[in-house]
Structures are given as structure tokens and as C-alpha cells.
Amino acid sequence: MVIMILLLLLILVTTYFLFHHKKYNSQLPPGSLGPPVIGQSLSLLKALKADRIEKWFQERITTHGPAWKASLFGYPTVVLHGPSANKFIYTCDGNLLSNTQPPSLSRIFGSKNILELSGNDHKRVRAAIVSFPKVEVLKQYVAKVDEEIRHHLQTHWHGKHEVQVQPLMKTLTFNMICSLLFGIERGPQREKMLPLFQYMMGGVLSIPINLPFTKYNRAIMARKKLVPMILHLIHEKRDALKEQTKQGDPHKDLITSLLSIRDDDGSKMMSEEEIIDNAITVMIAGHDTTSVLLTFFVRLLANNKSIYSTIFREHQEISSNKASEEALTWEDLTKMKYTWRVATEILRINPPASLTFRRTNQDIEYGGFIIPKGWQVLIAMSMTHMDDSLFQNPTMFDPTRFEKHVPSPPPFSYVPFGGGPRMCPGNEFVKTETLVLIHRLVTTFTWELLKKDESFKRVPMPEFDQGLLVKVKPLSETTLSCEA
Ligand code: HEM
């Protein structure tokens, strides 16, 4: 019954758009909207699952050029390609191109989440969010990140012969966001929250049917349980702030930061509801993306001896100047330049968030075409990453392309973190977590893939079939040859 109603709604929406765009027929980009309702969604989903989206997009770019129409996920869509298309999507005024999420997602994230906001509201909430995960603040937290990572390795890697990397990277990133961004220390509170977040994340990527036992329903129920927990946290942090107004540190964690931030006229910048919705959004936005990068990094080091050796030397050099249990510092991270270039190249070849959608709020002219009001606009960021006019030998893994002396790629061609006013505010946080983790991994363990060709599906985030199974050994038991 529910499926029938959903199908009917889709047919109505599609019919509306079919008639509505008739007046623009000659000005629409080339391409076809495909079979009613389904359009090309199944074919794109299939390509995502098989990790063949570049081929899928390239075939259509070759046929139609850099702008073409299709019907995807229930909406007529214009798909764009190229740095200027990226710039258009990332910098276009929110009144023309909105980032509105489907209502099913807003029920999980909450209606006041940053992704939904535009104009001054977006600026205000974003200013509050970026006040925490920025370099000046993160510098003070390197030892804390290091402690969290060493505890993770001690608990989940030491003494094990085999580990599943991807689920562990998810646990690590959840703990890292809890510790640094929410100020929730290890213990029962975190443990209660973990399954609730997992249900919510499962719901974000599910079919939005709210019936008992569906993934989507579990996500809605999880949000209901999580909201009072976050509210309690907000009240605790507000009381703590009041008690220590003089010596208190407003940058203690993201939630304290959001509570402390004031407008020019001294009034609060964020309501409790906004803090709750954005705490949830930050967790969902940061969790799978970061854990995908870390998982690909572990896989690369197992597969590429030459890169592994160079990284190993970089980190040995840093440890050789420190006492054995000494925590890492910001200065140490600044010496991990090669490691970050490797991460940058991983993000080029395998951007965790592969597609960016927007919706038009009015008819828009782009590249001589009309994109009618209510249509979707889509870019796949890996398409500019794999464009040989922008990156030489794009399929070759080559971190040297990000060396200082090599000219930077043209603006808006390298976009794993998006760009413009909505560019990911978590990128420095990701960098800190990645550098510290790789340092601790390569100076403590060696590992090899148990299944050399373990594949992954994009659903839409890359998910390894067996979670990326690796065999681990403590470094002390391994004779290493560091010859590149
Ligand atoms: C490798 C890890 C990550 C990647 C690849 C990534 C990627 C992105 C991308 C592409 C966007 C822009 C989306 C758009 O324009 O539609 C974005 C936005 C966002 N990201 Fe990240 N992200 C990562 C980690 C994080 C982390 C750790 C956090 C939390 C600290 C975070 C929080 C956010 C937020 C709140 C937004 C929305 C910003 C806005 O609308 O103004 N992300 N991210």
C-alpha cells in the first residue's frame, strides 16, 4: 500500500515536471528524462554499487557534452561537469540554488540543521560551527586526539591477529567527534549514544518508509531517544560555563563553543534546538566521510610498498626525536607533509562524498540552457578529479602532484571538501585525526590485506565487502626493509 502511494506521488511529481518544462523544451540541455518515474536512477545506483560512476558520467558527457538532463531519484535533473560547473553549484546564491534536503532526511537531521539553512541563517549557524574545528583551536587538542587514538589501538588492534578496518575507523571517528566536538569522555554516556547514531546513519541511506522495523523508522526512533541526551549535555555545559565564566574556556568543545558564541549585540547566536540539530548533523557529516578516508589510507599502505616506505621514514624521523610515550604536538603534525599529500591524493581518486545535489528555486540560465524551477542540479566531484585536462595521468596515484613547487590545480577542479560558502568546515579536524592515526599505526604495527582484491560498493559511501580485513602484527615482531 505504502509503495503504491509512493509510486503514485512520484508519477504525479514527474507528470507535473513533464508539463511544466514543456514551455522550455528547446532551451533545455540535451539528454532524456528516461522512463517515467524511474528515469536513470537504477542505472546510476548500479554504477555506484559497482564503483563505476566515472564511466557512467563519462559516457553521457561524451554523448551530450558538459550539461545534460536526466531524471534521477524522482526529479528531473540537470547534470553538469567541469570546474565552472563546480563553481556554479558551490557559490550560487542560496535563493537561486538551494541545498534543501528531502523531508525524509530533515526528520533525522532536524529542521534547523545547517544543510537546510540559507542566507543569513546559514551564515550565522556556520560562523558558530566553524568557531571550533579551526586550526587555532585544534592546535591545543593534538595531545587529546593522540590519547584517543592510542586508546583505540590499545583496545581494538593490540593482541589481535586480524581486524576489520572500516568498522573500526567508524568507531574511532565516532569517539573522536564525541570527545573533541561534544566533550563526552569515554564511558556509559558515549556507549549509549553509539548505537543510536548508528541507527540514524543507517536511516540516512535507507528507503524512507516509516513503518515499524524499517531502517528509516529505527533512525526516527533513535533521534527521539538522542535528543533528550543532547539536551541534557547542553544543560550540563551551560551550568559549567556559568560557574566558570571568568576562567572557563569557551573552546572546550564544539557544544560549549556554540553555547558561548554571541552576536555583535551580545545576544545568543544559537537556540537549543539549533544546537541539537547541528550536533547531529556534524556527527552524520563527519562520521562516514572521515572513516572512508582512513580506511582507504590503510588499504593504500598495504598495497603500495614505495609510499609505505616514504611515510614510514617520515614518521620514524618524528618519533626518533621524542620519548617513547610522549604525546604528539602540533609542530609534529606540521612535519607530516608527505602523509597529508598522500591523503590529498586519496581524496582525489576516492572522494568519500561523490555526488553533490542542489535544487533550483527559480528558472535559471546556465551555459545557454534553462534549468527550470524545482529541478535538481547534480555534479559528481570525481569527474573533475579524473579529467586529464586538469590532472595529468589522472588514474595514476601520484601524491607528488600536490607538492609545493607543482602548480595547483585550477580553482574548483579539486573539490573533495566542496567549495565556497558551504565548503566542509571539518577539513582541519579530518587532517588532524588522519595524521595522528597514520603516525600511531605505522610506528606500532605492520599489516597486510587478507583479501588482496577486497572490493567495495558505493551505497553511496564506499563500503568494503568484508569491512577491509587485514592481518596485523606489532612492528617489534617485523623485520622492516625501508628501501623505497
Ligand atoms: C574526509 C572527510 C570529509 C569529507 C570528504 C567531507 C566532505 C564534505 C563536502 C563535500 C561538503 C559540502 C557539501 C555540499 O556543498 O553540499 C561538506 C559539508 C559539511 N561537512 Fe564535511 N566532510 C568531511 C568531514 C567532516 C567532518 C569531520 C565534519 C565535522 C567536524 C564535517 C562537517 C560538515 C558540515 C557541518 C558541512 C555542511 C557545511 C555547510 O553547509 O555550510 N565534515 N563536507
Side-chain angles (χ1 to χ4, degrees):
M1 181 67 177
V2 175
I3 293 173
M4 290 293 286
I5 293 172
L6 280 176
L7 274 177
L8 194 68
L9 274 175
L10 271 176
I11 290 168
L12 286 175
V13 170
T14 313
T15 315
Y16 166 77
F17 284 120
L18 281 175
F19 281 106
H20 180 71
H21 81 246
K22 268 223 159 110
K23 64 175 176 171
Y24 292 123
N25 251 348
S26 62
Q27 290 160 283
L28 293 173
S32 127
L33 295 182
V37 185
I38 299 164
Q40 291 92 339
S41 311
L42 292 180
S43 147
L44 175 57
L45 284 173
K46 222 168 126 191
L48 273 165
K49 275 200 165 178
D51 190 35
R52 278 193 293 103
I53 56 165
E54 282 91 24
K55 190 164 175 272
W56 194 89
F57 281 95
Q58 192 53 57
E59 281 168 4
R60 285 149 183 88
I61 293 168
T62 310
T63 315
H64 305 302
W68 40 279
K69 65 177 178 301
S71 170
L72 294 169
F73 312 117
Y75 286 93
T77 305
V78 170
V79 187
L80 301 177
H81 166 61
S84 50
N86 292 352
K87 183 174 176 194
F88 167 66
I89 285 232
Y90 288 129
T91 59
C92 192
D93 183 341
N95 293 322
L96 295 180
L97 267 190
S98 82
N99 195 26
T100 318
Q101 309 297 302
S104 58
L105 283 190
S106 304
R107 286 191 69 187
I108 301 178
F109 288 89
S111 59
K112 302 270 189 261
N113 81 72
I114 184 167
L115 309 171
E116 294 284 325
L117 304 176
S118 59
N120 285 340
D121 269 344
H122 174 256
K123 276 198 193 123
R124 176 178 55 83
V125 170
R126 187 174 164 96
I129 290 180
V130 298
S131 71
F132 186 76
K134 59 183 180 188
V135 170
E136 304 85 86
V137 178
L138 288 172
K139 273 182 181 177
Q140 307 160 34
Y141 287 99
V142 179
K144 196 168 178 185
V145 172
D146 194 14
E147 194 278 324
E148 195 65 59
I149 285 174
R150 281 193 279 177
H151 182 270
H152 170 89
L153 295 179
Q154 188 61 42
T155 315
H156 299 286
W157 291 62
H158 274 284
K160 307 279 189 310
H161 300 294
E162 288 176 14
V163 297
Q164 266 185 308
V165 177
Q166 191 164 20
L168 285 184
M169 293 301 117
K170 289 186 185 186
T171 309
L172 173 67
T173 304
F174 172 82
N175 284 328
M176 199 60 81
I177 294 180
C178 274
S179 165
L180 249 78
L181 298 188
F182 299 171
I184 309 172
E185 298 309 330
R186 279 193 290 277
Q189 203 177 8
R190 260 197 215 179
E191 272 146 41
K192 261 195 206 162
M193 283 184 167
L194 176 62
L196 298 178
F197 268 115
Q198 283 168 338
Y199 283 138
M200 284 170 59
M201 259 154 324
V204 169
L205 305 174
S206 71
I207 301 166
I209 297 179
N210 192 9
L211 284 176
F213 311 118
T214 60
K215 278 191 180 177
Y216 183 66
N217 176 265
R218 271 196 296 245
I220 303 284
M221 303 312 276
R223 182 187 157 91
K224 275 200 183 130
K225 289 189 188 152
L226 197 64
V227 167
M229 289 185 190
I230 302 180
L231 196 59
H232 180 69
L233 200 66
I234 292 175
H235 292 165
E236 270 180 3
K237 288 183 187 298
R238 175 165 299 147
D239 292 346
L241 259 179
K242 268 189 211 147
E243 269 171 32
Q244 350 151 330
T245 28
K246 289 230 169 77
Q247 73 275 34
D249 177 7
H251 293 313
K252 202 164 176 290
D253 56 64
L254 179 69
I255 294 185
T256 309
S257 228
L258 299 182
L259 282 168
S260 325
I261 205 145
R262 292 279 181 271
D263 256 341
D264 293 343
D265 63 2
S267 52
K268 273 194 310 186
M269 259 171 92
M270 286 181 77
S271 66
E272 282 182 353
E273 195 187 351
E274 284 175 331
I275 296 181
I276 293 171
D277 290 355
N278 286 291
I280 289 173
T281 304
V282 159
M283 176 59 93
I284 295 177
H287 182 267
D288 279 13
T289 44
T290 311
S291 50
V292 162
L293 166 64
L294 300 177
T295 306
F296 276 117
F297 212 139
V298 171
R299 183 178 78 151
L300 177 87
L301 294 183
N303 276 338
N304 191 320
K305 290 267 169 297
S306 154
I307 288 179
Y308 172 81
S309 301
T310 315
I311 288 213
F312 183 74
R313 277 198 300 270
E314 183 167 84
H315 291 274
Q316 279 292 86
E317 171 84 29
I318 292 165
S319 343
S320 63
N321 292 317
K322 299 182 83 79
S324 76
E325 286 300 302
E326 198 182 333
L328 287 168
T329 61
W330 184 260
E331 204 201 328
D332 295 324
L333 301 199
T334 61
K335 294 177 189 152
M336 302 179 187
K337 292 203 165 43
Y338 181 75
T339 309
W340 187 245
R341 279 202 291 275
V342 172
T344 308
E345 181 68 340
I346 295 174
L347 289 168
R348 182 183 70 83
I349 296 213
N350 273 306
S354 47
L355 305 175
T356 302
F357 287 96
R358 296 284 191 266
R359 188 88 55 79
T360 52
N361 286 334
Q362 57 190 69
D363 297 345
I364 294 180
E365 208 194 314
Y366 178 84
F369 299 114
I370 296 285
I371 312 176
K373 179 179 174 185
W375 280 40
Q376 270 180 157
V377 186
L378 165 67
I379 52 163
M381 39 264 261
S382 55
M383 291 316 292
T384 47
H385 294 186
M386 285 294 160
D387 184 332
D388 59 9
S389 66
L390 301 166
F391 295 92
Q392 240 181 17
N393 295 329
T395 52
M396 194 169 99
F397 191 92
D398 178 13
T400 64
R401 62 175 95 241
F402 294 106
E403 277 175 4
K404 247 193 174 158
H405 62 89
V406 179
S408 307
F412 292 96
S413 51
Y414 177 75
V415 286
F417 291 108
R422 286 193 180 271
M423 183 170 167
C424 179
N427 57 353
E428 288 297 337
F429 180 85
V430 174
K431 186 171 177 181
T432 308
E433 182 179 340
T434 306
L435 296 178
V436 177
L437 175 77
I438 296 304
H439 177 82
R440 290 296 168 199
L441 273 180
V442 298
T443 53
T444 320
F445 300 102
T446 59
W447 61 94
E448 55 189 81
L449 301 182
L450 272 169
K451 235 183 124 195
K452 288 270 173 263
D453 50 357
E454 184 177 336
S455 57
F456 62 87
K457 296 183 183 66
R458 285 189 176 267
V459 285
M461 291 281 176
E463 280 284 337
F464 280 88
D465 298 341
Q466 291 175 276
L468 195 71
L469 268 180
V470 300
K471 194 163 123 194
V472 204
K473 269 193 205 159
L475 187 66
S476 51
E477 286 176 20
T478 317
T479 320
L480 274 172
S481 153
C482 284
E483 298 310 310

